[in-house]
Amino acid sequence: MDQKIVFLTIVGMLAVTYIPRMVPLVALASRTLPEPVVRWLSYVPAAVLASMLFPALLLKDGQFDVTPSNYFLWAAVPAFLLAWRTKSFFGTVALGMALVAAGRYFFG
Amino acid sequence: MTIDAVAGEKSGSPMMAAARQVAPIVMGYLPVGAAYGVLAQQAGLSMLNTVLMSILVYAGSAQLIAVALFAGGVTPVSIIATTFVVNLRHMLMSASLAPNLKSWNKWELAVFAYEITDESFAVHSVRFARGDLNKTTCFGINAIAQVSWIVASFAGFLAGASIPSVEPLGIDYALPAMFIALLVMQMKNGLHVLVAGFSGLTAIILIKAGADQWSVILATVIGATFGAGVESWTKK
């Protein structure tokens, strides 16, 4: 593999990744946005997190998996409850990982 | 609109607060970054390019996809175009953080934007909603997170094919579990729960329809529009 071409590709990846990260922040932070836009943006965090999380929990290799062997899905139930009750990042991550590890250890 | 403070986060110095709040990100980044390093090594990237991609691009899923495309002999233009589509969601994250950072100057914003990832965005949006806008903590969280990503990439490259599987420890669940905690912290009222469910299911439908790479940004746009629409409809 030609490492010079790899490097140039990485530079291109840098440009197309950084510009969309930077432009809205620099352009919008100093402005007072119209109320409907602010309201719309206030739903972005919940929407974007759920769009990444749901497929991770419900799909396995692109297929729906709600069988008992989908530990990602079942571990999410107590993890959600713990996060809701305690608001603890660390506790939620530790419990989720422990449950997935336990599922794999005891049930394969 | 209040959000319960995460236990103990009000105490200590700004850097200590950053270290505490970044810990779950680091736990998630170490295994994923190492996996990226291993795959980059196997795909034939040099050590320098492997680490440079984590320094310059710094986008987990896009880096993993790019490595797979390199291994498959895909042209640079296609790799760059795919990266653009996959990372376009960061544009919405950046726009959503902007209203909180009115007092920052353009250079600070430009530097901060460099390290907006799914994970750092999620942590900052929860912090900002809580009123925690400390600049040192903001940059501290971003810097520690990216350093852990770079170190993990490098370690993964060195370990190459001999890296032991992370699955028995459940480490591959660190990121989904973190998203669960962050999503719960976004649930300010019933409409947020509805928007989350709606967006998540939309993303799944889009993936099943074959729009894998567009699923997150499209589902986010549709979900946020749904939320804003329902809000203005019920207020009338």
Side-chain angles (χ1 to χ4, degrees), chain A residues 34-55:
Chain A
E35 199 273 331
V37 176
V38 174
R39 189 192 311 157
W40 189 85
L41 288 174
S42 74
Y43 289 100
V44 165
V48 75
L49 284 169
S51 307
M52 294 186 291
L53 177 64
F54 277 45

Side-chain angles (χ1 to χ4, degrees), chain A residues 1-76:
Chain A
M1 193 175 288
D2 185 339
Q3 298 300 329
K4 216 177 278 172
I5 292 177
V6 173
F7 174 73
L8 291 173
T9 311
I10 289 171
V11 172
M13 292 170 69
L14 161 69
V16 299
T17 303
Y18 179 59
I19 292 167
R21 279 174 176 170
M22 182 269 289
V23 170
L25 202 57
V26 171
L28 300 179
S30 55
R31 276 180 210 167
T32 307
L33 298 173
E35 199 273 331
V37 176
V38 174
R39 189 192 311 157
W40 189 85
L41 288 174
S42 74
Y43 289 100
V44 165
V48 75
L49 284 169
S51 307
M52 294 186 291
L53 177 64
F54 277 45
L57 299 182
L58 285 161
L59 301 180
K60 223 177 188 176
D61 303 321
Q63 298 302 314
F64 254 113
D65 184 359
V66 289
T67 62
S69 67
N70 184 358
Y71 304 131
F72 274 28
L73 178 59
W74 305 121

Side-chain angles (χ1 to χ4, degrees), chain B residues 8-23 26 115 124 127 132-147:
Chain B
E9 268 170 22
K10 294 283 177 210
S11 62
S13 70
M15 261 331 265
M16 279 309 294
R20 208 162 32 229
Q21 293 174 59
V22 81
V26 173
E115 287 170 313
H124 291 307
R127 293 178 51 237
D132 174 7
L133 292 161
N134 186 288
K135 225 176 265 180
T136 310
T137 310
C138 286
F139 285 107
I141 287 172
N142 284 3
I144 297 168
Q146 189 174 7
V147 167

Side-chain angles (χ1 to χ4, degrees), chain A residues 85-99:
Chain A
R85 302 299 293 187
T86 67
K87 308 276 181 213
S88 160
F89 274 131
F90 203 78
T92 307
V93 173
L95 176 70
M97 283 171 44
L99 289 171

Side-chain angles (χ1 to χ4, degrees), chain A residues 1 3 9 14 17-18 20-21 25 29 31 39-40 43 47-48 50 52 62 72 76 87 89-90 96-97 104, chain B residues 43-44 46 49 56-58 87 91 94 102 110 114 116 118 167 170 172-173 182 185 191 196 208 225 231-232:
Chain A
M1 193 175 288
Q3 298 300 329
T9 311
L14 161 69
T17 303
Y18 179 59
R21 279 174 176 170
L25 202 57
R31 276 180 210 167
R39 189 192 311 157
W40 189 85
Y43 289 100
V48 75
M52 294 186 291
F72 274 28
K87 308 276 181 213
F89 274 131
F90 203 78
M97 283 171 44
R104 284 173 178 155
Chain B
S46 68
N49 276 332
L56 298 176
V57 183
Y58 184 39
N87 288 340
M91 194 176 69
S94 170
K102 285 188 199 310
Y114 189 79
I116 294 177
D118 302 341
E167 290 197 348
D172 52 336
Y173 200 59
L182 290 163
M185 290 180 206
L191 189 48
K208 296 299 283 181
T225 307
E231 188 186 324
S232 53

Side-chain angles (χ1 to χ4, degrees), chain B residues 202-212:
Chain B
T202 304
I204 289 176
I205 291 167
L206 287 165
I207 291 170
K208 296 299 283 181
D212 272 45

Side-chain angles (χ1 to χ4, degrees), chain B residues 97 100-101 112 123-133 138:
Chain B
L97 293 177
N100 300 290
L101 303 175
F112 182 73
V123 168
H124 291 307
S125 66
V126 170
R127 293 178 51 237
F128 293 168
R130 201 170 55 217
D132 174 7
L133 292 161
C138 286

